Amino acid sequence: MMRILVVDDEFPSRQCLRRLLASTGGDHELAGEATDAFEAIARCRAQPIDLVLMDTELPGMTVEEATRQLAKLERPPAIIFLASDDESNPAMAERPVAGCLLKPVNEDQLREALNIARRLALPRPQHVEKEEEMAAETPQRAEISARYRGGVRTVAIADIIFLQADQKYVNVRHLDGELLVDESLRSFEREFPDLFLRIHRNALVARSRLKGLVKLTDGTTRVELLDCDDRLAISRRHLPEVRRWLRERDAKTTHRLSPRRFDPRVDQQRR
């Protein structure tokens, strides 16, 4: 029996999902409800949950952070995202994701997503887990290469300013120009989580190149980057996470640069 947790801050949405889960039948049951990500994580810690139906616009915590927290649990659940529009469709993150359904959800869509989630909830073979462990231990690349004008061009990871999805390729903007690579944004995000920050479903920026934010007259917010005049758009869903990261970075910088108070007793001890 697959145990399902519904996470949505709107009562009508939770009520609709309860009704749909009851009508789809099958080997699943409603294990509980939560109104925000904090409550959802606490419930998943307290009881076995196989699947979380999670709204993508929860108060207090971004869906990306909530997904990361759920992935750290001893028994992480599979996830089905519930989005109000295509823009709020999150990147498929650390944990196998059964899909993303657009609201209002209908019975057929939910039944199909539950079937996928049911397969994800099955115990994985030991050889698959071993392969994942080995992949996690693979060292990060120092550079990337791609075909360029009949040859091969190599770009150092440290020289990348931003990466932007371009149909089935990724456009790598670096200090000396641009390069198209046949990789996904998600693969870069997985391999270099400390180097790149997602600002949009189609863009990652180098944390070291992120100068700040600028709000335009039309109400949209864009990033200002070092060594690049391009101002990339930030989606509403990623804006809180970007702002939080900038605050933490600035706080660390201020602390590191703040003058040390002179204490003759301490200086005497050091001598």
Side-chain angles (χ1 to χ4, degrees):
M1 182 69 71
M2 184 168 62
R3 296 173 56 82
I4 300 174
L5 177 69
V6 171
V7 187
D8 198 306
D9 61 323
E10 298 180 353
F11 175 76
S13 296
R14 298 198 306 274
Q15 190 177 41
C16 177
L17 287 168
R18 282 200 306 268
R19 186 176 64 254
L20 288 174
L21 287 171
S23 63
T24 54
D27 55 345
H28 60 260
E29 64 177 0
L30 180 63
E33 300 177 12
T35 58
D36 58 43
F38 297 101
E39 184 182 358
I41 294 168
R43 283 182 173 272
C44 289
R45 286 197 180 108
Q47 63 184 115
I49 299 295
D50 301 304
L51 172 66
V52 174
L53 299 178
M54 182 187 295
D55 181 41
T56 58
E57 298 179 359
L58 294 171
M61 183 186 297
T62 65
V63 68
E64 290 83 7
E65 180 60 26
T67 305
R68 284 193 289 268
Q69 293 296 326
L70 289 172
K72 294 177 182 177
L73 298 179
E74 184 177 349
R75 191 173 180 273
I79 299 171
I80 294 177
F81 292 120
L82 307 171
S84 57
D85 52 52
D86 287 332
E87 170 60 26
S88 60
N89 184 351
M92 298 317 182
E94 275 68 12
R95 176 67 182 162
V97 173
C100 182
L101 302 179
L102 289 179
K103 295 181 177 179
V105 179
N106 66 51
E107 186 175 329
D108 291 337
Q109 292 172 333
L110 181 60
R111 182 179 288 107
E112 182 179 355
L114 290 177
N115 289 333
I116 298 174
R118 201 169 284 110
R119 292 194 294 271
L120 291 176
L122 292 174
R124 289 174 293 175
Q126 290 185 353
H127 74 275
V128 174
E129 294 182 352
K130 185 64 176 179
E131 289 173 0
E132 290 181 351
E133 291 175 3
M134 293 176 64
E137 295 172 358
T138 303
Q140 292 180 346
R141 291 172 291 174
E143 56 190 26
I144 59 173
S145 299
R147 293 190 178 277
Y148 182 77
R149 294 182 178 178
V152 175
R153 185 166 187 175
T154 300
V155 175
I157 297 297
D159 290 342
I160 295 176
I161 302 172
F162 67 81
L163 304 108
Q164 195 164 32
D166 185 0
Q167 297 183 13
K168 64 177 182 177
Y169 297 97
V170 166
N171 181 36
V172 179
R173 178 66 183 274
H174 54 90
L175 294 178
D176 295 322
E178 299 180 343
L179 186 68
L180 278 181
V181 298
D182 188 10
E183 298 187 49
S184 67
L185 282 180
R186 185 58 191 147
S187 66
F188 282 102
E189 197 172 27
R190 282 183 181 276
E191 186 175 356
F192 307 101
D194 298 330
L195 300 183
F196 298 109
L197 180 66
R198 187 175 285 273
I199 63 168
H200 197 279
R201 63 179 177 176
N202 69 355
L204 300 173
V205 298
R207 296 175 188 264
S208 62
R209 310 282 176 184
L210 184 50
K211 182 179 179 181
L213 305 180
V214 58
K215 191 166 185 177
L216 304 185
T217 54
D218 61 1
T220 62
T221 304
R222 294 178 178 265
V223 295
E224 287 188 315
L225 300 167
L226 298 173
D227 306 311
C228 178
D229 294 331
D230 292 355
R231 289 182 170 182
L232 303 182
I234 307 178
S235 68
R236 297 191 311 271
R237 187 171 54 81
H238 291 95
L239 184 57
E241 178 69 13
V242 175
R243 281 177 172 162
R244 182 190 64 79
W245 185 84
L246 284 171
R247 284 197 302 269
E248 291 179 356
R249 183 198 65 179
D250 293 344
K252 290 178 182 178
T253 302
T254 302
H255 177 74
R256 188 168 57 249
L257 298 179
S258 60
R260 181 176 62 86
R261 293 182 60 185
F262 175 71
D263 188 335
R265 293 171 299 176
V266 173
D267 284 3
Q268 184 64 33
Q269 291 174 1
R270 289 175 177 170
R271 295 194 191 99

